[in-house]
Amino acid sequence: MTSTQQLSALKALAKIEGFKNDLNRLGKTLGNLSLWHPAAPHIKQCDVAIQMIDNIADRFERRLVVTIVGPCGAGKSTLLNALAGVDDLSPAGHQRPTTGQVIVFSSDDQDAGQLIESLGNDSVAVKSSPAAALLEHVLIIDTPDTDSMAYQKHSPLVREAIGRSDMLICVFDSENPKRKDHVDFLAPFIQRFNGESLVVVINKCDRQDELELKNRIVPDFSTYIQDGWGTTVERMLCICARSHLQNPQWDETAGPKHDFDQFEILQQLIFDNLNRAGYVVDRRLENARSLRNFVFNEVGREISRHRKSLAAAAEQFRNAERKSYLDAVAAMKNDDSHRLLGVSLMVYQKLAQRWIGPIGWMTAIWARLLLFGAGIAALFRFGRPLSQIIGLISAWRHYKNSKSAMADTGNDERVGAGLRTYRLAKMSNWPNIAESMIGGGFDSTVRRVDDAFPADNTVSEHFADLWSGSLESEMERISRRLSGLLLQILFNLPALAILGYTGWITVQRFLMGSYLAFDFFLHALWTIGIVMLLSFFLFQVCVRLAAGPERITRRAFEKMKRQADQLEGITTNPVLEQLETILELDRMLDGRK
């Protein structure tokens, strides 16, 4: 090989490795679908295709292998003899089967090495002729009949030869081309050969009327094999191989009916078009790609066959998920374990962090009082008084942790009610979903609810996160709204004005050397305190109107309901995971078309 050919071969080998990786990934994905019946045979397909691609890579520097296959009496051996220019290269005649070995037409005995290793010396024969020297990059193989009396012995030989082939020439007898047994035998192999790698030859065309051959037999047969193989044959040739023997030995009363013969096209294809080093690389690359695409298409067709049921199961599950979630939110909302004091506490804590000035000081003090009151109430509402007292002291000492402690106290019963409702609603809808999945190829064991909904602590955590997240978001929004600059100026201004006025008078009198009486400061302190209390009272009215616990809770639930439209599932469902994997695989395979 020249350096250019070597570089081309290296690039092709890299692409072939990519095809193998694609099949490995597909096989691994299918391996995770233990409940989907069609996965197992397609895993086997992936393994076989990978092995065949390995065979292509192993013989990458060898000659292009063109294999002739056909049923008994189709004229395979006669065709090889015509191509070789020797009448008796491959045995032909009326005795069946005529060919009991794999005949390798080549000028070099080493070309048959791989076939001999796999089939044995007795099953392979190497034949040559002067024409073989012209085939520098191609070797031709003649195979036993696909329907011979020695079928059990010959079938493995044919399959092995096809498995090591780069191109197939499928030979049919024009007098009886619709041989279903031959078409069915070749059907599993045909998809592995793409475009120019597949040639259909209608032999003995001289026995038919020319117009009938062109207008009826060929179109009708083309439709027949297209239906049988599920693919369109791009190259179909009508030949009379016997006409190209040195001694055709025609019957004097049964000579050719016409001279329409496309043998030279086939001969040119093999000896000119295929017999090039660059073509060998390209063809093997295309064959490897065809193997990958064949498996992908087979998996895609299998999913397509079940797509309606699988899509219905996915839609039913999404609807059930949304309904169960909404039912759970309703159960949480109707639960009588509301902790409104805790909500108020958290709102005032957020406001205390945002407000400055006298109202900010009053808000912080009020939050402390609420925290203390919530802790006292907890002593009488829940068990384990000693633990509650310790928790109260801890919350009093650690201000930053008080919010989470209150949230945990308020969430337990509400989340539990929602979780129970959610699971019951999902389970009640599961029988219909399971039946759709079984219709989509899943095993009947998906009916078991326990397997579909295993115990999972993350569900409870997810519900708690949904609730606390919605509540936190709503309180954050309200606290920002109630902490605007204008509101802070409005409520702080009365107390600051009196405080400023008192300070101005005090400084003025101090500079003048006239000291104020104690009663002045006492009255000023009372006035500032009263004004601060009145301002804080009005501020509390605003907070109550805009951020009452009931209102915040209601809005938090409304936000949780809105999240149902974007819900992607909050439970770990191994059956659903396999369904989603299949649908994702379907989208991926569609994207490759």
Side-chain angles (χ1 to χ4, degrees), residues 530-549:
I530 291 172
V531 170
M532 287 177 61
L533 289 173
L534 288 174
S535 298
F536 183 67
F537 173 76
L538 293 175
F539 176 66
Q540 282 186 305
V541 172
C542 293
V543 171
R544 182 65 182 180
L545 293 175

Side-chain angles (χ1 to χ4, degrees), residues 83-312:
L83 291 170
V86 179
D87 289 1
D88 59 353
L89 182 78
S90 182
H94 299 289
Q95 185 178 359
R96 305 298 179 205
T98 55
T99 305
Q101 295 176 304
V102 174
I103 306 298
V104 178
F105 178 58
S106 173
S107 60
D108 188 348
D109 292 351
Q110 294 183 354
D111 289 335
Q114 287 187 327
L115 278 173
I116 292 175
E117 288 179 7
S118 58
L119 299 178
N121 285 311
D122 295 338
S123 299
V124 181
V126 180
K127 301 292 182 70
S128 184
S129 76
L134 301 176
L135 295 176
E136 183 182 357
H137 303 290
V138 176
L139 62 89
I140 305 175
I141 294 178
D142 183 19
T143 58
D145 300 331
T146 58
D147 61 342
S148 71
M149 292 180 293
Y151 175 81
Q152 292 183 345
K153 176 183 177 182
H154 292 167
S155 179
L157 304 182
V158 179
R159 294 177 184 275
E160 182 68 22
I162 293 176
R164 296 183 178 276
S165 301
D166 301 299
M167 178 176 174
L168 285 185
I169 299 179
C170 303
V171 184
F172 293 84
D173 188 342
S174 66
E175 294 181 309
N176 183 23
K178 294 182 180 180
R179 292 288 301 273
K180 188 176 186 303
D181 54 348
H182 181 48
V183 172
D184 290 346
F185 178 86
L186 292 177
F189 308 103
I190 293 302
Q191 295 290 342
R192 306 171 186 175
F193 297 89
N194 179 56
E196 295 181 358
S197 294
L198 177 64
V199 178
V200 170
V201 168
I202 301 178
N203 194 23
K204 305 179 184 179
C205 66
D206 58 299
R207 304 290 182 90
Q208 307 296 328
D209 179 80
E210 184 176 356
L211 291 178
E212 184 180 11
L213 177 70
K214 293 179 179 179
N215 298 331
R216 187 182 66 82
I217 295 177
V218 172
D220 187 46
F221 180 63
S222 178
T223 301
Y224 177 78
I225 61 172
Q226 181 175 340
D227 294 339
W229 290 344
T231 186
T232 301
V233 176
E234 298 180 5
R235 195 185 298 271
M236 182 177 293
L237 302 176
C238 296
I239 70 169
C240 177
R242 188 176 181 183
S243 298
H244 299 277
L245 296 178
Q246 295 179 8
N247 183 15
Q249 298 181 352
W250 295 113
D251 189 326
E252 294 181 358
T253 61
K257 294 183 178 181
H258 55 80
D259 59 359
F260 174 67
D261 189 352
Q262 295 177 302
F263 176 80
E264 291 184 359
I265 297 177
L266 178 62
Q267 190 177 42
Q268 183 180 8
L269 173 66
I270 296 174
F271 283 84
D272 295 335
N273 296 357
L274 305 184
N275 195 27
R276 293 180 287 112
Y279 186 89
V280 174
V281 173
D282 294 341
R283 183 47 38 199
R284 283 180 173 152
L285 178 62
E286 282 302 311
N287 286 346
R289 180 182 285 109
S290 294
L291 282 168
R292 189 273 311 268
N293 292 344
F294 167 72
V295 177
F296 275 42
N297 291 337
E298 287 291 295
V299 175
R301 274 195 289 269
E302 191 68 53
I303 297 176
S304 179
R305 190 164 67 90
H306 295 98
R307 183 179 294 148
K308 185 176 181 180
S309 296
L310 294 173

Side-chain angles (χ1 to χ4, degrees), residues 411 415-416 419 456-469 570:
N411 279 341
V415 171
L419 180 60
D456 190 353
N457 294 331
T458 59
V459 181
S460 176
E461 296 175 1
H462 197 105
F463 259 108
D465 290 342
L466 285 172
W467 164 242
S468 61
I570 61 176

Side-chain angles (χ1 to χ4, degrees), residues 1-9 277:
M1 294 177 99
T2 65
S3 58
T4 303
Q5 292 172 345
Q6 290 176 340
L7 181 60
S8 177

Side-chain angles (χ1 to χ4, degrees), residues 308-508:
K308 185 176 181 180
S309 296
L310 294 173
E315 182 65 21
Q316 288 173 333
F317 193 91
R318 283 191 292 268
N319 292 337
E321 182 89 345
R322 188 177 189 280
K323 183 179 182 302
S324 302
Y325 176 78
L326 293 175
D327 289 348
V329 172
M332 292 171 67
K333 184 176 181 180
N334 295 331
D335 185 69
D336 59 1
S337 60
H338 295 170
R339 304 290 179 259
L340 301 182
L341 183 60
V343 174
S344 296
L345 169 60
M346 288 186 283
V347 170
Y348 276 106
Q349 287 178 342
K350 288 183 175 295
L351 291 172
Q353 294 172 1
R354 293 178 177 274
W355 275 74
I356 59 175
I359 299 301
W361 308 332
M362 295 291 292
T363 303
I365 295 172
W366 184 248
R368 291 287 184 175
L369 292 175
L370 287 176
L371 174 62
F372 183 77
I376 294 298
L379 294 177
F380 300 98
R381 187 178 296 116
F382 304 105
R384 296 176 297 177
L386 180 60
S387 299
Q388 294 293 341
I389 292 173
I390 296 174
L392 173 62
I393 296 173
S394 177
W396 183 267
R397 293 178 56 192
H398 303 285
Y399 173 78
K400 293 182 179 180
N401 295 332
S402 62
K403 180 177 65 177
S404 60
M406 289 299 300
D408 290 341
T409 303
N411 279 341
D412 290 342
E413 294 183 31
R414 178 182 289 117
V415 171
L419 180 60
R420 288 191 297 273
T421 302
Y422 177 81
R423 288 183 61 86
L424 288 174
K426 289 286 288 293
M427 290 179 180
S428 66
N429 286 282
W430 184 249
N432 292 333
I433 299 172
E435 292 307 315
S436 294
M437 297 182 73
I438 292 171
F442 274 80
D443 190 79
S444 59
T445 56
V446 299
R447 292 192 179 101
R448 294 201 292 259
V449 176
D450 292 341
D451 293 342
F453 299 97
D456 190 353
N457 294 331
T458 59
V459 181
S460 176
E461 296 175 1
H462 197 105
F463 259 108
D465 290 342
L466 285 172
W467 164 242
S468 61
S470 298
L471 189 62
E472 177 78 14
S473 175
E474 183 59 25
M475 289 188 296
E476 187 69 24
R477 186 187 67 83
I478 289 293
S479 65
R480 284 199 307 269
R481 183 179 175 184
L482 292 174
S483 302
L485 180 61
L486 292 178
L487 280 177
Q488 295 205 34
I489 292 175
L490 178 64
F491 284 99
N492 279 316
L493 186 59
L496 290 175
I498 297 174
L499 185 61
Y501 177 73
T502 303
W504 181 75
I505 293 177
T506 301
V507 173
Q508 184 185 42

Side-chain angles (χ1 to χ4, degrees), residues 471-588:
L471 189 62
E472 177 78 14
S473 175
E474 183 59 25
M475 289 188 296
E476 187 69 24
R477 186 187 67 83
I478 289 293
S479 65
R480 284 199 307 269
R481 183 179 175 184
L482 292 174
S483 302
L485 180 61
L486 292 178
L487 280 177
Q488 295 205 34
I489 292 175
L490 178 64
F491 284 99
N492 279 316
L493 186 59
L496 290 175
I498 297 174
L499 185 61
Y501 177 73
T502 303
W504 181 75
I505 293 177
T506 301
V507 173
Q508 184 185 42
R509 292 295 183 90
F510 176 78
L511 294 176
M512 294 174 60
S514 176
Y515 299 105
L516 296 172
F518 175 77
D519 288 344
F520 172 81
F521 291 104
L522 181 62
H523 285 86
L525 182 62
W526 277 105
T527 303
I528 293 171
I530 291 172
V531 170
M532 287 177 61
L533 289 173
L534 288 174
S535 298
F536 183 67
F537 173 76
L538 293 175
F539 176 66
Q540 282 186 305
V541 172
C542 293
V543 171
R544 182 65 182 180
L545 293 175
E550 299 88 349
R551 185 171 183 173
I552 290 177
T553 303
R554 184 177 67 254
R555 286 182 175 273
F557 281 122
E558 290 174 355
K559 185 170 184 177
M560 287 185 71
K561 288 182 178 180
R562 289 194 297 271
Q563 291 177 343
D565 294 330
Q566 293 83 35
L567 195 65
E568 296 182 356
I570 61 176
T571 56
T572 300
N573 187 324
V575 180
L576 178 64
E577 288 177 355
Q578 294 194 29
L579 173 62
E580 291 175 339
T581 298
I582 296 171
L583 295 176
E584 181 61 31
L585 186 60
D586 186 32
R587 288 189 289 270
M588 184 270 289

Side-chain angles (χ1 to χ4, degrees), residues 23 26-28 30-31 33 36-50 294-303 305-306 585:
L23 290 170
L26 177 61
K28 185 177 180 180
L30 293 172
L33 304 178
W36 194 51
H37 288 306
H42 291 301
I43 294 173
K44 179 64 175 177
Q45 274 190 336
C46 289
D47 294 338
V48 172
I50 290 171
F294 167 72
V295 177
F296 275 42
N297 291 337
E298 287 291 295
V299 175
R301 274 195 289 269
E302 191 68 53
I303 297 176
R305 190 164 67 90
H306 295 98
L585 186 60

